Amino acid sequence: MFCVDNRNDRREPRAPSRGDLTPATRPGAAGRPQPRSSSKSRYIWVTTPEGKRTRKWAYGKTREETHEKWLQLHDQARKGPVATKHETVAAFLKRWLVEVIEPNREPTTYVAYEPLVRLYIIPGLGKKRLDKLTVRDVQAWLNTLPTLCTCCDQQKDHKRPERKRRCCSIGKCCKGYLSRSSIAGIRRVLRAALGHALREEVITKNVVSLTTLPSASKTKKKRQHTVWTVDEARKFLEHLREIDDPLYAAYVLILVLGLRRGEVLGLAWDCVDLVGEQLWISRQLTRVGGQLLHRETTKTEDSTASLPLFGLCVTALRHRMRTQEQAHKTAGDNWKNSELVFTTRTGTPIEPRNFNRAFESHCRRAGVPRIRVHDTRHTCASLLAALDVHPRVAMRILRHSQISMTMDVYTQIPSPETRKALDRLNQRLTTESAD
């Protein structure tokens, strides 16, 4: 007998068999299961959404489970591109805001979407994989929003100076719950984002579209928006004329034509025809991200249509023109020519927030209820009725699609005294313009 020492035995590696070859080395074998160290994993060659060919693995605890997942991968590959790298909801939303919304939408859209994503969607769903997001996940998250105190969740009260803290930071929850419209807005943003992911073929369905919008919290106090009566609107305008406010014409346009704040502040003289008694709204002045933007777009397509100017509006604009010419002479070389109808004493655009502050101050001095500038649009219909404007003309001004809708808001019948007071106000302005 003799012993053979195998310690120095070095065998040549065996040549790969047909089963070991990959699709790159064995034509016609693409898509077949390839052996690995374990029979509980298989892969197929797929095309990613970026157009790249790569392997997609299927894993399972048993061979049967692995085979089932492998067949599912084949079904996905036949339908279209298959993602091999999966983003979280947070990563996708951040990319969506930067690559899709910011460069392709209005600046105001990005400013409105970004805080909803950052404060609500990412904290609730951000850690989940985008392709694994289910209807149940989104619905469970939506159901928590009506009972979510935003002050507690975002620690708003904690960020105040200690002497000004008054609610959640000292154990007295202010119950600052979200309204149903706010929840609907958050859901709308997430649905739009997943709609883009669906077009990118990153997911196979938009799960947000299958959810139900929850009801608002029953403990939330409904916000009541006060609306001026025609008499209160007249009282407000009379106060402005008494103090000879340089922005009197802006408030007339807001009340009589229902213009928005940005539309009034962005109105230029080349869009006003005092002879033909009409104007066009094609621009808005808004502050977005610290920048004051004079945008060439309006909120809706109907907003760009011409609007008729009534006697009160025409005389107010003529008075504004004289006031601006006087301010131009006073400013001299310091005057900044912006072609805007409503400017500061030096011709620069009016800051939207300063316009709000001035409006609130005038409300207090005129002795009328304090409302938002936007709420004056609700008074517009009643004021048009007081000025004896024909319902068809009012329908055009209010941008209503049906005359019945206009007649529904023509329910407040002004008193004869109110009509006479508005006539006197108009005659007074006409006399001053003639002088």
Side-chain angles (χ1 to χ4, degrees), residues 92-329:
F92 171 76
L93 289 175
K94 293 177 181 178
R95 180 172 65 85
W96 174 68
L97 286 174
V98 173
E99 298 180 1
V100 179
I101 299 301
E102 189 172 15
N104 301 304
R105 295 292 184 269
E106 292 296 328
T108 51
T109 302
Y110 176 82
V111 171
Y113 281 11
E114 191 276 333
L116 298 182
V117 170
R118 173 170 46 86
L119 298 176
Y120 300 104
I121 302 177
I122 289 181
L125 300 172
K127 295 182 179 180
K128 295 184 178 294
R129 263 179 51 172
L130 182 62
D131 62 316
K132 296 293 184 181
L133 193 64
T134 64
V135 177
R136 179 175 294 182
D137 294 334
V138 180
Q139 188 66 60
W141 166 70
L142 285 174
N143 292 341
T144 63
L145 294 182
T147 58
L148 177 69
C149 176
T150 58
C151 182
C152 295
D153 183 64
Q154 302 169 20
Q155 296 187 342
K156 295 180 180 179
D157 196 44
H158 292 76
K159 297 176 183 178
R160 298 188 180 105
E162 188 172 355
R163 58 186 177 83
K164 294 185 178 181
R165 295 178 182 177
R166 58 180 182 269
C167 51
C168 298
S169 62
I170 59 176
K172 298 179 181 180
C173 182
C174 60
K175 298 181 180 180
Y177 302 131
L178 293 169
S179 64
R180 196 170 192 269
S181 60
S182 297
I183 298 175
I186 296 171
R187 177 176 176 267
R188 194 181 305 116
V189 171
L190 182 58
R191 183 177 59 192
L194 294 193
H196 181 76
L198 187 62
R199 290 189 292 273
E200 284 188 347
E201 298 180 318
V202 177
I203 56 177
T204 57
K205 64 179 179 180
N206 192 334
V207 295
V208 182
S209 301
L210 305 176
T211 59
T212 302
L213 185 66
S215 301
S217 174
K218 295 181 180 180
T219 59
K220 179 179 177 59
K221 297 181 180 179
K222 294 184 178 180
R223 183 182 300 176
Q224 299 292 336
H225 293 300
T226 304
V227 179
W228 281 348
T229 63
V230 177
D231 289 332
E232 289 169 340
R234 173 191 56 79
K235 186 177 179 181
F236 178 77
L237 292 178
E238 288 181 343
H239 161 74
L240 295 175
R241 284 303 304 130
E242 290 176 359
I243 64 174
D244 195 20
D245 188 84
L247 298 181
Y248 168 75
Y251 297 114
V252 170
L253 295 180
I254 287 176
L255 284 167
V256 178
L257 297 183
L259 300 188
R260 301 174 180 89
R261 181 190 64 180
E263 294 172 347
V264 169
L265 298 183
L267 182 64
W269 283 113
D270 59 359
C271 295
V272 178
D273 183 5
L274 296 178
V275 178
E277 297 186 350
Q278 59 181 341
L279 61 79
W280 293 264
I281 303 298
S282 59
R283 303 166 189 164
Q284 283 197 28
L285 185 70
T286 54
R287 178 167 289 281
V288 179
Q291 296 182 348
L292 196 62
L293 304 179
H294 193 201
R295 300 184 293 138
E296 296 292 334
T297 57
T298 51
K299 186 173 182 180
T300 62
E301 294 182 359
D302 293 338
S303 299
T304 59
S306 63
L307 297 178
L309 290 175
F310 311 111
L312 182 61
C313 299
V314 173
T315 51
L317 286 171
R318 291 188 186 278
H319 179 73
R320 171 59 194 168
M321 183 178 292
R322 293 195 311 155
T323 303
Q324 192 175 64
E325 290 175 354
Q326 183 62 37
H328 189 178
K329 294 178 181 179

